[in-house]
Amino acid sequence: MSKHWFYEWILPLSPTILTIIGWWVIGKREQDKRKNDRFHQRIDTAILLIAEIKKLAIEYYGKNGSECTEIGQEIVFKFKKLSYLCGKISQDSVIQNCFLAFKIEISGGDFQNYHRSALPNKHQKFLDIRDKAFELRKMLDDLHDSVN
């Protein structure tokens, strides 16, 4: 008497098939988790860079142009890093526009002008820098909270 093909082939292979499917599901979850962790890490790094750039910009505009060429170069380098991170975080034009507004506020006008004179502590430029930094950070925080 011959056994049915189901009992002969499918039933013995079902634990193996279920194990392979389980591995695939777990692997997919881990891959998604790593991708999500990298995403959140990029946002956290971008937020730290915003704070560093803001601090450097306030220090930069508080000094004469001839006294802060190194700070200007450091700001430019940090903007390159922040630009890369913002591009990786989101291609959304709202975030990109907010980043550009922050960058223009700091690096526009007489940025890296050797003959620029220091601004007084209560100058509007400092308030504008803080405002643009806050807006960009707020957008990144909102994006951080919206993605699980």
Side-chain angles (χ1 to χ4, degrees):
M1 196 171 188
S2 175
K3 289 185 178 180
H4 190 269
W5 63 270
F6 180 80
Y7 295 110
E8 203 169 307
W9 294 99
I10 302 299
L11 206 55
L13 290 176
S14 51
T16 304
I17 293 170
L18 288 175
T19 301
I20 291 170
I21 291 172
W23 284 342
W24 181 80
V25 168
I26 289 172
K28 184 71 173 152
R29 283 184 185 167
E30 285 298 313
Q31 184 181 20
D32 291 344
K33 183 182 180 301
R34 282 193 304 263
K35 184 178 179 182
N36 197 20
D37 288 345
R38 279 193 314 270
F39 176 78
H40 289 293
Q41 187 178 22
R42 285 180 179 137
I43 291 176
D44 293 339
T45 303
I47 288 171
L48 290 174
L49 272 172
I50 291 167
E52 290 174 18
I53 291 170
K54 179 181 76 170
K55 180 182 173 190
L56 286 171
I58 289 171
E59 180 183 351
Y60 177 84
Y61 283 106
K63 296 180 179 180
N64 290 327
S66 60
E67 298 172 1
C68 51
T69 54
E70 296 87 17
I71 297 172
Q73 292 170 353
E74 192 171 349
I75 289 172
V76 169
F77 177 71
K78 287 184 185 285
F79 266 129
K80 284 182 183 179
K81 287 171 52 176
L82 184 60
S83 174
Y84 172 77
L85 286 172
C86 285
K88 284 295 221 177
I89 290 168
S90 175
Q91 297 297 321
D92 184 14
S93 63
V94 175
I95 290 177
Q96 296 300 323
N97 289 341
C98 196
F99 166 74
L100 284 175
F102 178 57
K103 184 177 180 180
I104 289 169
E105 186 61 47
I106 292 174
S107 63
D110 57 357
F111 183 73
Q112 291 188 321
N113 181 351
Y114 189 77
H115 302 292
R116 179 188 53 78
S117 57
L119 299 176
N121 289 338
K122 301 288 184 188
H123 195 274
Q124 183 65 35
K125 182 81 168 174
F126 296 122
L127 297 173
D128 293 341
I129 290 170
R130 288 183 181 105
D131 182 54
K132 299 299 183 193
F134 171 76
E135 287 297 320
L136 183 56
R137 181 187 171 133
K138 180 180 164 285
M139 293 208 123
L140 291 174
D141 278 339
D142 290 346
L143 188 61
H144 196 300
D145 295 339
S146 69
V147 177
N148 296 346

